[in-house]
């Protein structure tokens, strides 16, 4: 398993890359991946890990490289949507025979890839998770998944397909664009971080009103963490909010999912593979 | 001119209503409106001016009242999208022969009304603007507009139609839903408040990627106020961000518009009326 790491949003540090290599080297030889961290991951241009051309170029380098089995997004933050329109038409045959891994902001690009039928996409912990206390377990989970370990999978989606997982706000910002995948019949898992409850409510109301999402087979809510106080108090928690919008829209609400911006975050394969 | 005031999002105080009535009473008799503030405007239920049923009921009371010429949204905040799906099918003939006025969160409902071809919709200052220093001038501008005064109009849109004006984030959260109006051929004015630059960039990137918006005749950027610091510095201001997304998408960027979350906010008629 050869993995290319690129950063379509914000950068990681060389220290994260070194820790990642050490983690891989500690794995049993039969399962040990070869990890190629693209130097673009360490660039900085304002908010981003290099300008759009640098980030798009690194992604295309990795995606179109027939020697790589997977492209792993290093970090979220914001930036992957800025690349979508430019990179999609430049993906060749090698890009279609590849696994794409990440979550959070990377979901914009992952959703577009899934919608375009390019490769196999999975919501999964990213190298940047190494900065969290206990983050090694999260990052190892992605490597275990690539090595064929089914315990890395989010349990509900291990049993049921097709599925997809997104950060709620990132999915809301794909809505209406040509890059929103059709989630008809899918089990849709959503997680959120650092958004006040009125924004969670607002984004969920939009999402369940999008025809290609209203036809989902069910919605599960991952963890919504670091929610700032709503002023005034919203009067409902995220579970009640999700229940309410599902009831209105007719999407079955199937309870909580084991994903989130944390070290417990599990792997969700998009679609059925 | 008989105006009904309702609050589809957050509440106003009775003091604001009294100030509003005094302002109207101070106008010349020939231009003086009759203002009916619905008691729902003073309700409170968590985040909202009463629960969804109370807010939808008040809106339907006013919109379906053949004795009223206009429905004026009292305040934004968040809440009008929650009413859209329930109220649209319940609007009768009187609702179609009516003016709807407001901005900010009310834009979700206003966009849905415009998309459904119900009434005449205008982005305009709201009663809650009375709490701003100098806010009487803003509120009087809406009343002057209703009395036929063309100086209340945003200058570019006074000369050019069809137009539409939205808070950027509110428009982003209409995208993908059946309630986003088709803005083909429109002059689109956008304003924003209290969003960091990466979110302005993110929402603009989405908006210009929506087919029914990419066909706009041009985009103008209103004021983007109270922008929290981006960490790290974004490296571009809102004007550069708008120019960039317009250049990428082929929508002509037509510069700055005289709208925003402030007392200088001007009136923009949706469409051509």
């Amino acid at each position: 398993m050869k993995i290319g790491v690129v950063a379509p949003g914000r950068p990681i540090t060389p220290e994260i890359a070194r820790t990642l290599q050490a983690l891989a080297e500690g794995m049993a030889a039969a399962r040990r991946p070869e990890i190629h961290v693209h130097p673009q991951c360490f660039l900085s241009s304002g908010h981003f890990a290099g300008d759009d051309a640098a980030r798009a170029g690194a992604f295309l380098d990795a995606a179109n490289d027939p020697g790589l089995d997977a492209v792993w997004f290093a970090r979220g933050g914001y930036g992957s949507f800025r690349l979508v329109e430019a990179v999609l038409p430049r993906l060749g045959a090698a890009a279609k025979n590849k696994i794409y891994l990440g979550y959070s902001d990377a979901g914009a690009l992952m959703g577009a890839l899934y919608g375009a039928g390019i490769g196999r996409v999975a919501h999964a912990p990213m190298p940047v998770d190494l900065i969290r206390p206990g983050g090694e377990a999260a990052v190892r989970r992605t490597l275990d998944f690539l090595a064929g370990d089914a315990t890395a999978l989010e349990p509900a989606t291990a049993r049921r397909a097709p599925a997809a997982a997104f950060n709620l706000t990132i999915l809301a910002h794909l809505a209406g664009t040509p890059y929103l995948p059709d989630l008809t019949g899918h089990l849709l898992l959503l997680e959120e971080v650092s958004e006040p409850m009125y924004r969670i409510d607002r984004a969920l109301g939009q999402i369940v009103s999008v025809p290609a999402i209203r036809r989902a087979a069910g919605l599960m809510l991952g963890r919504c963490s670091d929610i700032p106080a709503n002023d005034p108090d919203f009067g409902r928690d995220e579970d009640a909010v999700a229940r309410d919008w599902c009831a209105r829209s007719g999407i079955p609400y199937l309870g909580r999912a084991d994903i989130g911006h944390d070290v417990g975050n599990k792997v969700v394969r998009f679609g059925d593979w």
Side-chain angles (χ1 to χ4, degrees), chain A residues 62-90:
Chain A
N64 286 328
D65 183 345
L68 293 176
D69 303 296
V71 174
W72 197 3
F73 300 117
R75 183 178 176 186
Y78 169 56
S80 79
F81 184 81
R82 291 183 60 91
L83 311 185
V84 170
E85 190 163 3
V87 300
L88 279 192
R90 296 165 67 192

Side-chain angles (χ1 to χ4, degrees), chain A residues 174-233:
Chain A
L174 274 182
T177 76
Y179 313 114
L180 179 79
D182 187 342
L183 298 175
T184 300
H186 285 58
L187 185 58
L188 174 60
L189 283 65
L190 299 172
E191 55 83 24
E192 192 50 279
V193 63
S194 303
E195 299 287 352
M197 198 55 67
Y198 86 90
R199 291 191 181 221
I200 292 175
D201 189 82
R202 188 170 67 183
L204 269 170
Q206 173 188 15
I207 284 305
V208 303
S209 301
V210 173
I213 296 178
R214 189 164 282 203
R215 297 188 296 263
L219 188 148
M220 298 183 75
L221 193 63
R223 289 176 286 283
C224 297
S225 51
D226 295 328
I227 299 177
N230 209 80
D231 178 26
D233 183 62

Side-chain angles (χ1 to χ4, degrees), chain A residues 16-268:
Chain A
I16 291 175
R18 283 191 295 272
T19 308
L20 179 65
Q21 294 290 5
L23 194 80
E25 284 158 20
M27 292 176 72
R31 298 160 56 94
R32 188 182 303 149
E34 192 178 298
I35 298 182
H36 299 268
V37 178
H38 198 293
Q40 172 270 326
C41 291
F42 313 126
L43 295 179
S44 175
S45 175
H47 191 96
F48 306 108
D51 62 18
D52 290 353
R55 302 196 319 286
F59 171 71
L60 289 167
D61 285 350
N64 286 328
D65 183 345
L68 293 176
D69 303 296
V71 174
W72 197 3
F73 300 117
R75 183 178 176 186
Y78 169 56
S80 79
F81 184 81
R82 291 183 60 91
L83 311 185
V84 170
E85 190 163 3
V87 300
L88 279 192
R90 296 165 67 192
L91 292 169
K96 290 175 184 164
N97 185 31
K98 201 165 255 106
I99 298 173
Y100 298 89
L101 303 147
Y103 72 105
S104 192
D105 176 72
L109 184 46
M110 291 163 54
L113 290 167
Y114 181 59
I118 295 171
R120 287 162 286 159
V121 174
H123 165 105
M126 298 185 289
V128 74
D129 284 309
L130 289 169
I131 66 173
R132 302 182 194 276
E136 290 200 2
V139 172
R140 191 175 288 118
R141 192 174 301 123
T142 299
L143 297 175
D144 288 344
F145 166 69
L146 289 173
D149 187 344
T151 65
L153 295 171
E154 198 285 333
T157 66
R159 297 186 300 267
R160 183 168 173 174
F166 285 94
N167 172 269
L168 170 60
T169 295
I170 295 301
L171 184 60
H173 284 295
L174 274 182
T177 76
Y179 313 114
L180 179 79
D182 187 342
L183 298 175
T184 300
H186 285 58
L187 185 58
L188 174 60
L189 283 65
L190 299 172
E191 55 83 24
E192 192 50 279
V193 63
S194 303
E195 299 287 352
M197 198 55 67
Y198 86 90
R199 291 191 181 221
I200 292 175
D201 189 82
R202 188 170 67 183
L204 269 170
Q206 173 188 15
I207 284 305
V208 303
S209 301
V210 173
I213 296 178
R214 189 164 282 203
R215 297 188 296 263
L219 188 148
M220 298 183 75
L221 193 63
R223 289 176 286 283
C224 297
S225 51
D226 295 328
I227 299 177
N230 209 80
D231 178 26
D233 183 62
F234 196 71
R236 287 188 189 137
D237 66 10
E238 66 269 25
D239 196 70
V241 161
R243 265 178 213 286
D244 177 44
W245 280 115
C246 283
R248 288 178 183 221
S249 62
I251 301 175
Y253 181 58
L254 303 176
R256 303 309 293 253
D258 191 10
I259 61 168
H261 270 65
D262 53 47
V263 298
N265 190 24
K266 299 298 189 297
V267 175
V268 178

